[in-house]
Amino acid sequence: MANLVEATSPQQFEELLQKAGKSLVVVHFLAPWAPQCTQMNDVMAELAKENAQVTFVKLEAEAVPEVSEKYEISSVPTFLFFKNNQKVDRLDGAHAPELTKKVQRLSSAAVPMGTGVAAKEDLNERLKKLVNAAPCMLFMKGSPQEPCCGFSRQIVELFKQHSIQYSSFDILSDEEVRQGLKTFSNWPTYPQVYVNGELVGGLDIVKELAESGELEHTCPKAVTLENRLKSLISKKNVMLFMKGNKEMAKCGFSRQILEMLNSTGVEYDTFDILQDEEVRQGLKTFSNWPTYPQLYVKGELIGGHDIVKELKESGDLEAVLKGEN
């Protein structure tokens, strides 16, 4: 298919964007070793058949690092959407329905009668789910680890000082949410804080609540890190703390340890330490083990990649995972 191509250099990538002009370009940042990327390539092929006016580009993230770094690609699969040589949207992860929706929405030059109302309803449903995703939700620019504006940084610091437990959403990663939430909440600026799905307000409101002593009563208090770590390592009988998850490892050691665990047939769960810097750093001290991955059985540390490899080679891995050794 002429509209499904592969870019192998920064120059070729830029040429494809220039050539497309006002037409939509969908770029799949992939890794050949990741099965999710293979699946999403199949989805892209189908979308290419149905959307001849859209250019679909496959780009191996590690083979063209200049492009990956420029657009802050930290995991695969990631999809970027371009028009007029400008990035207009982004999708992280293997979400075929969401990819299809974005292609349909962004490729439509004219919106048929009635479609705009339906799209608005879909967005409102998505926003309702997001504001209710956790008891306390912070919509901010960037992440708690790397705030991208002064107001977001201040609110993160206030939450930290008052031990507030919260989840966050980076509005810079999703333009549809960024613009839609302003209307949804009738609040024109960011950051925005929601508790139990209801808007509390922005930085000034949070400051007032902190100064009056009401912040702790308005937002849920965080459990201590030690108690949180104890809960996480005991969440399942076998817990693996790794870079990525069981569907998609994000480093070689994590990928190898998944293969060894899968070969035993024993059930296990994973925790992606790349998604939570507090856990990533705290667990090193808690377990006195400085690297990842880390494997726990019934709340007890077994070790990392080398230990698991030794157990596999000695034939003891399955018994250890079952708590028999």
Side-chain angles (χ1 to χ4, degrees):
M1 283 172 287
N3 64 326
L4 179 59
V5 297
E6 187 170 350
T8 57
S9 70
Q11 294 79 12
Q12 187 183 6
F13 173 74
E14 293 296 337
E15 286 170 5
L16 287 167
L17 294 185
Q18 293 283 355
K19 185 178 177 182
K22 295 180 180 179
S23 298
L24 177 66
V25 179
V26 181
V27 185
H28 177 197
F29 288 83
L30 60 90
W33 47 261
Q36 292 79 11
C37 293
T38 303
Q39 294 166 10
M40 294 308 290
N41 275 340
D42 293 339
V43 174
M44 281 232 305
E46 289 301 314
L47 288 172
K49 292 177 187 176
E50 299 166 6
N51 299 272
Q53 77 281 17
V54 179
T55 301
F56 294 86
V57 180
K58 294 186 286 185
L59 190 150
E60 188 177 333
E62 293 178 349
V64 194
E66 304 95 322
V67 178
S68 299
E69 289 172 10
K70 179 179 178 180
Y71 292 103
E72 299 179 345
I73 306 301
S74 58
S75 64
V76 293
T78 292
F79 295 86
L80 296 186
F81 303 80
F82 292 85
K83 276 186 174 181
N84 294 317
N85 209 23
Q86 297 293 320
K87 187 185 79 171
V88 294
D89 210 340
R90 178 182 182 122
L91 175 65
D92 293 284
H95 306 295
E98 189 67 22
L99 176 62
T100 304
K101 282 183 186 177
K102 285 182 180 289
V103 170
Q104 291 172 344
R105 176 174 60 82
L106 293 169
S107 63
S108 300
V111 181
M113 276 303 259
T115 304
V117 175
K120 188 173 182 180
E121 288 175 356
D122 287 344
L123 176 58
N124 281 343
E125 284 302 312
R126 187 179 173 211
L127 295 174
K128 284 179 185 177
K129 289 179 181 177
L130 282 172
V131 300
N132 286 282
C136 181
M137 279 295 297
L138 171 63
F139 291 82
M140 62 180 291
K141 294 181 179 178
S143 66
Q145 292 76 37
E146 294 184 9
C148 293
C149 78
F151 295 135
S152 293
R153 186 176 296 107
Q154 289 180 58
I155 213 164
V156 166
E157 189 59 34
L158 280 170
F159 278 178
K160 184 178 179 181
Q161 290 170 5
H162 293 269
S163 301
I164 301 302
Q165 184 175 5
Y166 67 100
S167 294
S168 66
F169 185 93
D170 180 5
I171 53 103
L172 297 178
S173 70
D174 194 314
E175 189 64 21
E176 186 178 48
V177 170
R178 181 180 185 176
Q179 300 303 330
L181 196 60
K182 294 178 183 178
T183 305
F184 179 85
S185 62
N186 195 26
W187 194 273
T189 59
Y190 291 99
Q192 294 182 16
V193 176
Y194 291 77
V195 173
N196 297 324
E198 297 293 328
L199 177 68
V200 173
L203 176 61
D204 290 343
I205 301 293
V206 172
K207 277 183 174 179
E208 290 175 10
L209 290 170
E211 289 168 0
S212 67
E214 296 177 35
L215 186 59
E216 288 88 345
H217 303 295
T218 304
C219 301
K221 290 277 284 183
V223 295
T224 65
L225 178 58
E226 183 177 358
N227 286 339
R228 187 180 174 212
L229 294 175
K230 285 179 181 177
S231 175
L232 282 173
I233 64 176
S234 303
K235 181 181 175 184
K236 291 286 176 66
N237 280 347
V238 181
M239 281 293 300
L240 177 65
F241 292 79
M242 61 178 287
K243 294 179 180 179
N245 54 46
K246 63 168 67 175
E247 285 79 31
M248 184 174 66
K250 294 179 181 176
C251 80
F253 292 127
S254 293
R255 184 162 62 253
Q256 291 173 41
I257 207 168
L258 284 180
E259 291 171 356
M260 290 185 275
L261 293 180
N262 289 337
S263 71
T264 67
V266 176
E267 288 190 11
Y268 66 95
D269 202 355
T270 60
F271 185 93
D272 183 1
I273 52 105
L274 297 177
Q275 299 298 317
D276 195 315
E277 190 65 19
E278 185 180 50
V279 170
R280 181 179 186 175
Q281 300 303 330
L283 195 59
K284 293 178 185 179
T285 304
F286 180 85
S287 63
N288 195 27
W289 195 272
T291 58
Y292 289 99
Q294 293 183 18
L295 180 67
Y296 291 78
V297 174
K298 296 181 178 178
E300 296 294 327
L301 176 68
I302 301 301
H305 172 272
D306 291 344
I307 301 293
V308 173
K309 187 177 179 182
E310 289 173 10
L311 291 170
K312 172 71 174 172
E313 291 171 349
S314 68
D316 295 326
L317 180 58
E318 186 173 343
V320 168
L321 295 178
K322 292 179 177 178
E324 297 171 359
N325 275 14

